[in-house]
Amino acid sequence: MINEAILQYLDNIRPSQSEWIIQLRREAEEHHVPIMDEHGIGLLQQLIRIHQPAKILEIGTAIGYSALRMLEAKPDTQITTVERNPEMVERAIYNITSLNKQNHIDVILGDALEAADRITEKGPFDFIFIDAAKGQYRHFFDTYQQSLTDDGCIVTDNVLFRGMVANPSDASKRLQKLAEKIDQYNQWLLQHPEYHTTILPVGDGVALSVKKTK
Ligand code: SAM
């Protein structure tokens, strides 16, 4: 995507980060938990600052990192975040509570496609962030777009998947299949009759979708 020298330059000029951010990134790295990269987080935070959502839904909590970074961008928002792995939920609740943010971030244990009733009752949401199983993106979008406010925004991470969506021949057979699924999602999303979508080559590739006005 963007060449290494540019990424290095952007990393070099980034202001130093708070200790809690460094610690959470370290925790993710040590336990091999995939979290959103810094360039993607920067974009996500700017979108939140511009859009000012009162309620955010996140699909894929992991250790709570991106939820906490979204809250950092708008400290009075309410975030509902869903995660199917109980160990991750435990870590996320620990991290969120340690930073005293439990009144703003509600972690739901469950599969986002099975727990939809429990989740949608917390909506409607002004901002939805999809960052869970890549093969299920379309199902997540279809299930939760009904809970999006008319001027809401859906952000999907990893839509370029380390360059493999554009160059599947670089990937192993298993990852090629996943890259194909993401490609199908991207094409479906770009042709969706009810949404305008832009895909930005930031981080691992971020799709921004907003409802077309009637
Ligand atoms: N958003 C997090 C961050 O940037 O800090 C990273 C999320 S990680 C890429 C994806 C997470 O989604 C994993 O912890 C995984 O267990 C969870 N997940 C995958 N499929 C899911 C599903 N169907 N329902 C709920 N959680 C799911």
Side-chain angles (χ1 to χ4, degrees):
M1 287 200 268
I2 298 178
N3 79 41
E4 280 306 314
I6 293 175
L7 292 176
Q8 192 60 59
Y9 166 75
L10 292 174
D11 284 340
N12 289 346
I13 62 167
R14 180 182 306 126
S16 57
Q17 291 182 315
S18 307
E19 195 47 40
W20 68 269
I21 297 174
I22 296 168
Q23 270 188 25
L24 285 183
R25 292 202 74 85
R26 195 175 298 137
E27 175 183 342
E29 198 180 329
E30 280 171 4
H31 298 277
H32 309 287
V33 178
I35 57 170
M36 195 179 206
D37 93 319
E38 271 312 283
H39 305 284
I41 287 283
L43 174 63
L44 193 65
Q45 289 193 319
Q46 286 297 62
L47 288 169
I48 288 171
R49 290 184 188 109
I50 294 166
H51 196 66
Q52 292 289 306
K55 281 191 186 180
I56 297 176
L57 170 64
E58 174 181 63
I59 303 169
T61 317
I63 62 169
Y65 175 73
S66 51
L68 285 160
R69 295 300 305 271
M70 289 193 283
L71 186 65
E72 183 189 30
K74 183 164 171 34
D76 62 347
T77 195
Q78 284 296 329
I79 301 177
T80 300
T81 179
V82 56
E83 171 58 56
R84 67 181 174 190
N85 178 335
E87 283 168 30
M88 289 291 161
V89 166
E90 201 177 305
R91 277 315 302 169
I93 291 176
Y94 176 84
N95 288 328
I96 290 162
T97 310
S98 301
L99 291 162
N100 200 21
K101 303 297 181 194
Q102 64 280 6
N103 293 338
H104 283 278
I105 304 176
D106 184 12
V107 184
I108 295 185
L109 169 62
D111 187 301
L113 296 174
E114 288 164 12
D117 289 349
R118 260 193 302 148
I119 296 162
T120 49
E121 73 182 18
K122 312 260 180 190
F125 303 100
D126 315 286
F127 195 94
I128 298 178
F129 176 44
I130 300 176
D131 191 19
K134 295 170 194 52
Q136 308 277 4
Y137 277 178
R138 182 168 167 178
H139 293 306
F140 295 140
F141 193 102
D142 267 340
T143 303
Y144 289 103
Q145 55 130 342
Q146 295 150 27
S147 301
L148 186 71
T149 53
D150 281 346
D151 59 352
C153 174
I154 301 184
V155 175
T156 315
D157 192 25
N158 311 109
V159 295
L160 297 175
F161 196 31
R162 297 177 233 151
M164 284 184 261
V165 177
N167 289 309
S169 56
D170 289 355
S172 65
K173 275 264 168 318
R174 186 181 69 83
L175 293 182
Q176 263 180 29
K177 281 230 153 61
L178 199 49
E180 271 167 30
K181 277 213 141 188
I182 299 172
D183 175 41
Q184 285 162 11
Y185 174 70
N186 290 343
Q187 296 200 36
W188 171 79
L189 200 50
L190 286 166
Q191 283 162 27
H192 198 299
E194 289 163 34
Y195 286 84
H196 291 293
T197 293
T198 305
I199 293 180
L200 298 172
V202 174
D204 201 24
V206 178
L208 310 182
S209 307
V210 293
K211 276 186 188 171
K212 290 182 179 172
T213 46
K214 304 239 158 65

